[in-house]
C-alpha cells in the first residue's frame, strides 16, 4: 500500500509540475505577442554621419560642413545621400572644390545636378573627388594618377610646388579623423565613358 500511495503522490506531483510550467510559459507567450508599431515616416538622417560627437577629431564630412567655403559641396553631398560614406573609417582623401569652383561651372549646372532625377550623376561626380588613402600634398607628388571612388582614375600633375589633381589645384589641406581634405580650386568632372 505504501508503494501505491508513493506512486500516486509522485504522479500527482509530476502532473502539478507540468501544469505549473505550462501556465508559466503560456503567460510569457501572452506577454510577448504584441502588434507591431505602425509604420513611421522614413528618417533620411540615419547612420554615422548624424551622430553628434564634439570630442573627436572632425571627420572629412564635418570639416566640409564647418567650412563657409564649401556650402555648395555640402549641399551636393546631401542631395546625393553620401553623408555616411564620408564618415567611414577611411582613410579617405577628399578633393573639396570651393564654392567659387562650383560657381565657375556653366550657369545652371549645379542647380540641374541637385535635382532628384540627377542624383546618380551627381553621386558619380562627387565620388570622382574621393580617393582611398591619406596622403599629404607633398606625398601626392610621387603619383602619376589616383584611382577614385567612382572606379575611374584621375591624373596628377606637379608644377613646381603646385599639385594638380584632375586639373584642379590643391590650395590647402586639412587633416581629419578619417583622412584628409584637400581644398581644390576646380570641380573635377569625370571623363565620359
Amino acid at each position: 500500500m505504501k508503494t501505491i500511495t508513493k506512486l500516486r503522490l509522485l504522479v500527482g506531483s509530476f502532473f502539478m509540475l507540468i501544469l505549473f510550467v505550462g501556465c508559466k510559459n503560456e503567460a510569457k507567450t501572452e506577454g510577448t505577442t504584441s502588434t507591431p508599431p505602425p509604420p513611421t515616416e522614413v528618417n533620411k538622417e540615419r547612420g554615422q554621419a548624424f551622430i553628434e560627437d564634439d570630442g573627436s577629431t572632425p571627420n572629412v564630412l564635418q570639416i566640409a560642413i564647418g567650412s563657409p567655403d564649401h556650402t555648395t559641396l555640402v549641399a551636393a553631398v546631401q542631395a546625393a545621400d553620401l553623408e555616411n560614406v564620408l564618415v567611414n573609417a577611411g582613410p579617405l582623401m577628399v578633393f573639396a572644390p570651393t564654392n567659387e569652383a562650383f560657381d565657375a561651372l556653366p550657369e545652371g549646372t549645379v542647380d540641374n545636378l541637385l535635382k532628384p532625377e540627377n542624383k546618380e550623376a551627381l553621386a558619380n561626380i562627387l565620388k570622382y573627388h574621393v580617393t582611398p588613402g591619406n596622403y599629404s600634398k607633398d606625398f601626392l607628388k610621387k603619383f602619376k594618377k589616383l584611382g577614385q571612388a567612382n572606379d575611374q582614375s584621375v591624373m596628377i600633375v606637379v608644377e613646381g610646388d603646385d599639385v594638380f589633381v584632375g586639373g584642379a589645384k590643391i590650395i590647402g589641406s586639412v587633416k581629419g579623423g578619417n583622412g584628409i581634405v584637400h581644398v581644390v580650386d576646380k570641380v573635377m568632372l569625370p571623363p565620359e565613358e
Side-chain angles (χ1 to χ4, degrees), residues 5-46:
T5 306
K6 284 183 182 178
L7 186 59
R8 282 184 186 165
L9 185 60
L10 185 62
V11 170
S13 298
F14 180 74
F15 283 118
M16 291 297 284
L17 181 63
I18 290 174
L19 183 63
F20 177 73
V21 171
C23 289
K24 193 171 185 179
N25 283 341
E26 186 177 32
K28 280 185 182 178
T29 304
E30 286 176 13
T32 57
T33 49
S34 62
T35 54
T40 58
E41 186 176 315
V42 176
N43 183 358
K44 182 179 164 187
E45 295 184 355
R46 290 185 178 195

Side-chain angles (χ1 to χ4, degrees), residues 56-60 62-63 88-92 134 174-180:
S56 315
T57 303
N59 59 50
V60 295
Q62 291 166 330
I63 291 169
N88 285 337
L92 299 173
N134 189 5
V174 180
K175 288 189 176 210
N178 65 336
I180 190 166

Side-chain angles (χ1 to χ4, degrees), residues 95 127-131 146-154 188:
F95 300 98
K127 289 177 183 178
Y128 191 64
H129 289 78
V130 179
T131 305
L146 294 172
Q148 302 302 88
N150 73 337
D151 293 327
Q152 291 181 306
S153 294
V154 65
M188 303 183 308

Side-chain angles (χ1 to χ4, degrees), residues 43-120:
N43 183 358
K44 182 179 164 187
E45 295 184 355
R46 290 185 178 195
Q48 292 178 356
F50 303 98
I51 296 173
E52 293 186 29
D53 177 14
D54 296 330
S56 315
T57 303
N59 59 50
V60 295
L61 177 63
Q62 291 166 330
I63 291 169
I65 289 172
S67 169
D69 295 324
H70 291 93
T71 55
T72 305
L73 175 63
V74 171
V77 167
Q78 291 169 338
D81 287 332
L82 293 176
E83 297 100 330
N84 286 313
V85 174
L86 294 177
V87 297
N88 285 337
L92 299 173
M93 278 190 298
V94 175
F95 300 98
T98 61
N99 292 340
E100 288 179 3
F102 280 101
D103 291 342
L105 292 172
E107 189 174 334
T109 302
V110 174
D111 291 334
N112 190 43
L113 285 170
L114 293 176
K115 292 178 181 176
E117 60 267 22
N118 296 324
K119 182 178 174 178
E120 191 175 312

Side-chain angles (χ1 to χ4, degrees), residues 154-173:
V154 65
M155 301 304 294
I156 295 181
V157 175
V158 179
E159 293 178 5
D161 199 36
D162 293 329
V163 177
F164 295 83
V165 179
K169 180 180 175 181
I170 296 176
I171 56 176
S173 300

